[in-house]
Amino acid sequence: MSFSPNLIALGKYLAGRFDNQEQALADSVWFVHLHLWQRPVDLFTQDSITLFAEQANIVNLDRPYRQRIMRLMSGISSESPLQVQYYMLKEPSAFSGAGRNPALLENLTEDELDLLPGCILTVTQETITANSYKFTGTQPPDTSCCFSYLKQIVRVALGFEATAAGLNSYDRGIDSDGKATWGAILGPYCYSKREQY
């Protein structure tokens, strides 16, 4: 299937190896130095561009976490021309380290994923200059991203801004009182793209 130019651009902007070294050096009290990998995978190829995402603290690169699958696809209306649907891995340990070692993803299938129904973003596109864009992903109103992890219900607020140069992540964990407990509490994690996938 042929994809729209804006979907292809979104996929290109989100795929890559990123880190937030500059931010971590400037404000180490609030921002740890993280590496983020978002690798294309051959899933849902009939209508989507799909990425495997994983991150790790620079001091523990051998212990990555926050694995997820991001399915980028056309939206349902002109107001939301693009969307990102999140999935989780049924067996995360089987793919631990795949950000650095993509060979681990060669046998990943759709059957090994669980859909996260409320974990979806509407993506808008703003033209900065010719062939240069800013994509902004936000949760639709009245949606809640919740899932079970280690026998606990986890609630997450999702969001991002992506340009050719990098990615600002607004993802954060939310407790039962609606307060942020981890992630982008004082502002986004600002990742620079180090390698294009």
Side-chain angles (χ1 to χ4, degrees), residues 14 41 43 62 151-152 175 192:
L14 290 178
V41 291
L43 299 175
D62 59 334
K151 298 183 180 178
Q152 292 187 339
D175 68 15
S192 296

Side-chain angles (χ1 to χ4, degrees), residues 63-118:
R63 284 188 263 159
Y65 60 96
R66 282 208 69 214
Q67 297 167 318
R68 56 214 175 271
I69 298 294
M70 303 165 64
R71 182 180 180 185
L72 321 179
M73 54 193 153
S74 295
I76 54 174
S77 69
S78 59
E79 291 81 36
S80 57
L82 298 171
Q83 61 185 26
V84 178
Q85 173 66 63
Y86 287 80
Y87 295 75
M88 67 184 299
L89 298 161
K90 292 178 180 177
E91 296 293 337
S93 61
F95 301 97
S96 181
R100 293 174 71 191
N101 181 10
L104 295 172
L105 298 170
E106 291 175 3
N107 297 317
L108 179 64
T109 67
E110 294 173 21
D111 292 338
E112 294 170 285
L113 309 179
D114 282 331
L115 173 70
L116 300 174

Side-chain angles (χ1 to χ4, degrees), residues 20 26 29 38 43 47 64 88 91 98 102 122 133 136 155 159 182:
N20 71 326
V29 172
Q38 296 190 154
L43 299 175
D47 64 358
M88 67 184 299
E91 296 293 337
T122 297
Y133 312 100
T136 302
R155 187 170 157 218
W182 57 260

Side-chain angles (χ1 to χ4, degrees), residues 19-197:
D19 73 43
N20 71 326
Q21 180 179 20
E22 293 88 350
Q23 181 184 45
L25 289 172
D27 194 357
S28 60
V29 172
W30 288 105
F31 296 98
V32 296
H33 185 180
L34 299 176
H35 279 237
L36 170 67
W37 299 268
Q38 296 190 154
R39 291 193 174 273
V41 291
D42 289 328
L43 299 175
F44 308 108
T45 54
Q46 69 279 9
D47 64 358
S48 310
I49 296 169
T50 306
L51 304 173
F52 166 85
E54 184 174 60
Q55 66 190 49
N57 187 312
I58 186 69
V59 298
N60 293 309
L61 288 177
D62 59 334
R63 284 188 263 159
Y65 60 96
R66 282 208 69 214
Q67 297 167 318
R68 56 214 175 271
I69 298 294
M70 303 165 64
R71 182 180 180 185
L72 321 179
M73 54 193 153
S74 295
I76 54 174
S77 69
S78 59
E79 291 81 36
S80 57
L82 298 171
Q83 61 185 26
V84 178
Q85 173 66 63
Y86 287 80
Y87 295 75
M88 67 184 299
L89 298 161
K90 292 178 180 177
E91 296 293 337
S93 61
F95 301 97
S96 181
R100 293 174 71 191
N101 181 10
L104 295 172
L105 298 170
E106 291 175 3
N107 297 317
L108 179 64
T109 67
E110 294 173 21
D111 292 338
E112 294 170 285
L113 309 179
D114 282 331
L115 173 70
L116 300 174
C119 303
I120 191 163
L121 297 177
T122 297
V123 181
T124 57
Q125 176 181 343
E126 175 187 342
T127 300
I128 299 171
T129 60
N131 299 314
S132 178
Y133 312 100
K134 179 171 101 171
F135 293 96
T136 302
T138 56
Q139 284 185 254
D142 303 319
T143 61
S144 180
C145 179
C146 297
F147 53 91
S148 177
Y149 180 70
L150 299 177
K151 298 183 180 178
Q152 292 187 339
I153 298 298
V154 177
R155 187 170 157 218
V156 181
L158 302 169
F160 67 79
E161 295 170 339
T163 64
L167 172 68
N168 291 342
S169 172
Y170 291 88
D171 294 359
R172 59 196 185 282
I174 305 295
D175 68 15
S176 58
D177 295 324
K179 295 179 183 174
T181 57
W182 57 260
I185 296 173
L186 292 184
Y189 270 76
C190 300
Y191 294 99
S192 296
K193 182 173 281 191
R194 306 303 184 188
E195 184 179 359
Q196 177 68 52
Y197 296 149

